[in-house]
Amino acid sequence: MNYSPDLLRMLEEDEAVRDRARDVVGMTSQFAFLALADPRAETLKRSHYTEELHRWMVELADMVRERTDDEELRGAVDRLVRAFEQRVGEPIGALIERMHGGGSSATS
């Protein structure tokens, strides 16, 4: 997904996609840094991947799908959405641990 010419084009040319992607990267970076600095942080236990956050991520996925004809990119977006849909309600710390610890291959 990261090297898709269509996605790179969207990030360069489409302000809405770029802004949403920037928010995702910022949020993810904050949790990743916290997980590295203090993997047992209370924030990681208290923060959850909520239905609201998932809907917000699906909106980004829909934006990407609408702006591409690349079936490979669409498929990658669909797989990512399905993988995270199964994680709704999980603490962020558990999500990070699952991804880092070699949990489901869908999220690795």
Side-chain angles (χ1 to χ4, degrees):
M1 232 172 86
N2 294 337
Y3 301 107
S4 162
D6 261 7
L7 185 57
L8 295 173
R9 175 190 52 78
M10 283 179 239
L11 292 171
E12 185 175 308
E13 298 174 0
D14 193 310
E15 186 176 356
V17 172
R18 184 176 49 249
D19 287 349
R20 180 66 61 104
R22 184 178 317 143
D23 290 343
V24 169
V25 169
M27 183 179 10
T28 304
S29 295
Q30 289 175 0
F31 283 122
F33 179 77
L34 186 55
L36 287 171
D38 185 5
R40 295 185 183 6
E42 191 62 32
T43 300
L44 293 174
K45 295 175 189 170
R46 280 195 329 257
S47 301
H48 285 72
Y49 185 71
T50 63
E51 183 68 40
E52 179 182 359
L53 179 54
H54 184 69
R55 279 193 305 270
W56 186 81
M57 297 290 282
V58 169
E59 287 174 12
L60 173 58
D62 289 344
M63 292 166 68
V64 170
R65 277 192 215 100
E66 291 168 1
R67 290 162 170 82
T68 189
D69 293 326
D70 182 342
E71 290 304 319
E72 201 172 310
L73 177 57
R74 284 183 177 169
V77 167
D78 290 342
R79 286 188 300 277
L80 193 59
V81 166
R82 280 193 307 271
F84 276 89
E85 185 173 49
Q86 298 172 18
R87 306 297 176 222
V88 170
E90 282 190 30
I92 296 294
L95 240 172
I96 291 169
E97 199 173 297
R98 181 185 312 274
M99 287 181 194
H100 184 265
S104 167
S105 61
T107 59
S108 297

